[in-house]
Amino acid sequence: MTGGTGRLTAVLGPRTRRVVYGGQGLDEVRGELELTSTVDLAHVVMLTETGLLPGPAAAALLERVGHLRATGFAALAGLPAPRGLYLMYEGHLTAELGPDVGGKLHTGRSRNDLKATVTAMRLRGELLGLLGEVLRLQAALLSRARAHGGVVMPVYTHFQPAMPVTYGYYLAGLAAALDRDVAGLRQAVDALDRCPLGAGAVAGTDLPIDSARTAALLGFAAPPLHATDAVAARDTALRALASAASAAVTLSRLATDLQLWSTQEFGFVEFPERLVGGSSAMPQKRNAFLLEHVKGKAAAAIGAWTASASAMKATPFTNSIEVGTEAVAVVWPALAAVRDSVLLSQVLVSGARPVPARMEQRAKEGFVTATAIANRLVARGVPFRAAHHAVGAAVREAIASGAPELTEVTAPDGFPVGAGGRLPPLPDVVAAHDRGGGPGAGAAVVTALRARLAAHHDWITAHRARLRDADRLRERAAADVVARHGGTP
C-alpha cells in the first residue's frame, strides 16, 4: 500500500510528507513502530480469542510482526511511506501475507485509538524512568541530610542571613519539595491506567472485541471508560509536564543556592575537580558550570507545558491533530531535559562538600541568633515587640563596636539573657527550634521523608512488575496462537 486509501488517491509530495510525518530512516521507523507493533501483538491475540480473526491468519501476522521486531524493522527501511510510517508498515504486512491476512490487522480499531494507546504507553515508560531517577536524587539528598545534620549554617531571607539551621536541614527541605513532585508524577502514571484501544475512531465499535483483554496484555488496569475521551484527551500529558516542570524548577533553586554558596565570597560549599570546569582565558577559575545546566533545563519543561496547552486550547473535544500530534510532540524532549537535570543534580548533591567552619563563621557574623534571644526574653514575660527592640539595639551596638558576633544582651528588666550572661552556642539554638518543622526536628523530618521514599519505591516496583507480567502474558499468548495455528494461513 503506497498510494491511495479508499476515497483518496493522491498523496502528499516528499517535502510536505516530511513535515507532516517526519523522517523515514531506520531510526525513525524503529522509534515509531516498536510500540505500535507491541500493540499489534496484543490486538491480534484478542481478535483471535474473540473469533474475529482466524487462527492461521493470526499466527502468520504474529510471526511476521515478531520477525520485524527481532530484526529492528530493517525490511522497512527505504520503503515509500506516502501516508506515514504506520500505513507503510501495514502495507508491508499486506504485501507479504496477502490482503486476506494483512488486511485484517486493523479490524476493530482506528489509527486514533492506536495512536492514543502508543502515546499512553510511551508516556508511562518515560514517567516511570523519570520517577526512578528522582527517587535516586531524593535518596542522595536524605543521605547527605543525615550526614550533615550537625553542620550549622545561616539560612537566608532576601539574601540576608536570617536564622541558624544546618546544611543537612536545608537538603531535607529540597527532598520534601521533591516529594510533592513525585506525588504529581505518580498521579500522572496512575491516570494512564485505562487503555485507549477499543475506543476506535471516536465512538467505540460494534464488533465484539474484548478491550479488557487487550488492556491486560498491554499492562493497563482497564479498558476505555468513554471512547471520545480516550481519543480526544491528552490532559495527562499536561499534568505530567506540570509535575516535571515543578521538579525542574525546584532543582533550579537548589542549583542557584549551590552556585552562590560555592563562590569565593561565600565559600560554604566545595566541589571536586571532576564537577567543575576551568576557563579558556583565566587559569585561576573553578566554574561550577554543571549547575547552570540544571538551572537552564527547567526552561524546556516550562516552555513545553505552555506550548502543549496552547496547542490544545479551543480545539474541539474529539480526535484532533493539534492535540494528539502537535501538543504531544513537545512532551518527549521536555521530559528528557528534566531527566538530564535530575541526573546532573544527583552527582552535584553527592559531590558537594560543605565547609563547616566558614558556615559557622558567617552564622555568627550574621547575628542569626537574634530571634532566638528575643524569644528567650518573651519566655521571661517581656512583650515580643519590646524584646525585638532590645535585641535590635544590642546588634546595633555590636556592629558599632566591631564585635564579630552577638555575645550578650541585657533585657529591659536589667537582667542579662543566658546563663552567666552568656548567650547559648549556635548548636543549642538550632536544637531548640524543634517546633513547626524547625531544624531541631531535622532527624524526625529525615525519618518521615525516608518512609515516604520507601513507599514510593514500593509503588514503582509494583508498577514495573505489573508491566513485566503483562509482557510475559502477551508473549505467552502470542506463542500459544502460533503454536496452535502456525503454518500457511
Side-chain angles (χ1 to χ4, degrees):
M1 182 185 299
T2 59
T5 58
R7 176 182 176 181
L8 304 178
T9 58
V11 299
L12 297 173
R15 186 173 64 179
T16 306
R17 189 161 65 237
R18 191 176 305 110
V19 172
V20 174
Y21 297 121
Q24 296 173 3
L26 190 54
D27 288 342
E28 289 84 3
V29 170
R30 288 171 180 161
E32 179 168 330
L33 296 183
E34 184 66 35
L35 287 176
T36 298
S37 60
T38 299
V39 175
D40 285 348
L41 297 178
H43 186 63
V44 169
V45 167
M46 180 277 293
L47 291 177
T48 308
E49 293 174 349
T50 56
L52 289 168
L53 184 63
L61 278 168
L62 291 171
E63 287 182 316
R64 185 59 191 162
V65 171
H67 175 73
L68 287 173
R69 288 164 60 87
T71 56
F73 302 94
L76 303 183
L79 292 183
R83 294 194 179 275
L85 290 176
Y86 172 73
L87 286 178
M88 178 266 279
Y89 158 73
E90 186 182 289
H92 171 78
L93 294 174
T94 300
E96 290 285 309
L97 302 174
D100 288 341
V101 177
K104 293 179 178 178
L105 174 62
H106 212 49
T107 300
R109 75 181 188 192
S110 163
R111 271 199 292 181
N112 298 352
D113 61 342
L114 173 59
K115 187 170 186 176
T117 302
V118 168
T119 297
M121 292 172 65
R122 182 176 179 184
L123 184 57
R124 179 178 65 186
E126 295 281 352
L127 291 179
L128 288 174
L130 176 58
L131 268 165
E133 296 303 338
V134 174
L135 294 183
R136 290 186 182 91
L137 175 56
Q138 270 196 301
L141 284 165
L142 292 174
S143 173
R144 295 304 182 272
R146 178 170 287 180
H148 302 307
V151 178
V152 176
M153 65 173 290
V155 67
Y156 289 79
T157 62
H158 308 288
F159 291 95
Q160 301 297 326
M163 296 179 72
V165 295
T166 70
Y167 182 60
Y169 176 76
Y170 168 82
L171 295 177
L174 270 298
L178 283 177
D179 182 70
R180 292 186 293 277
D181 299 323
V182 168
L185 291 169
R186 280 184 54 171
Q187 288 172 354
V189 173
D190 287 337
L192 296 168
D193 64 345
R194 287 188 175 273
C195 179
L197 205 67
V202 71
T205 179
D206 56 355
L207 291 172
I209 64 172
D210 184 356
S211 52
R213 173 63 166 163
T214 314
L217 292 172
L218 293 173
F220 292 92
L225 176 65
H226 188 286
T228 303
D229 173 60
V231 299
R234 298 295 189 274
D235 50 278
T236 300
L238 277 181
R239 283 193 292 275
L241 280 175
S243 295
S246 178
V249 168
T250 298
L251 295 184
S252 76
R253 300 178 74 182
L254 165 67
T256 295
D257 285 339
L258 291 180
Q259 188 171 33
L260 184 65
W261 295 346
S262 64
T263 62
Q264 289 189 13
E265 285 75 10
F266 272 80
F268 283 7
V269 174
E270 294 178 345
F271 289 101
E273 286 192 2
R274 62 186 175 84
L275 296 181
V276 299
S279 166
S280 64
M282 297 166 283
Q284 84 281 8
K285 297 291 293 295
R286 292 181 90 258
N287 299 325
F289 71 102
L290 296 179
L291 294 164
E292 296 178 30
H293 285 288
V294 173
K295 292 191 294 182
K297 288 184 181 299
I302 296 168
W305 189 93
T306 303
S308 187
S310 298
M312 295 184 192
K313 180 189 68 65
T315 57
F317 193 72
T318 185
N319 180 70
S320 164
I321 287 176
E322 299 104 298
V323 175
T325 300
E326 298 295 343
V328 171
V330 298
V331 171
W332 317 122
L335 292 180
V338 176
R339 183 179 175 127
D340 287 346
S341 178
V342 173
L343 293 174
L344 289 174
S345 297
Q346 289 172 2
V347 297
L348 289 163
V349 167
S350 299
R353 294 291 180 266
V355 184
R358 177 62 178 161
M359 287 179 164
E360 182 174 356
Q361 176 190 353
R362 284 299 300 131
K364 292 176 179 178
E365 292 171 350
F367 304 102
V368 295
T369 58
T371 302
I373 295 167
N375 286 338
R376 286 174 179 250
L377 292 174
V378 169
R380 283 169 36 178
V382 177
F384 176 77
R385 193 53 58 197
H388 186 279
H389 290 165
V391 176
V395 171
R396 185 173 62 250
E397 291 172 6
I399 294 173
S401 66
E405 60 181 301
L406 197 60
T407 56
E408 61 181 314
V409 174
T410 301
D413 57 10
F415 292 96
V417 178
R422 303 296 297 177
L423 299 178
L426 276 170
D428 290 354
V429 174
V430 171
H433 282 74
D434 57 358
R435 284 85 158 178
V445 171
V446 171
T447 298
L449 289 171
R450 286 176 66 89
R452 288 188 58 79
L453 178 62
H456 294 320
H457 273 298
D458 290 344
W459 176 88
I460 198 171
T461 298
H463 209 100
R464 285 171 169 165
R466 188 177 86 179
L467 295 182
R468 287 194 298 270
D469 290 343
D471 289 342
R472 288 191 288 266
L473 179 65
R474 185 177 61 251
E475 290 169 3
R476 285 198 301 268
D480 287 346
V481 172
V482 172
R484 284 186 284 113
H485 302 289
T488 303

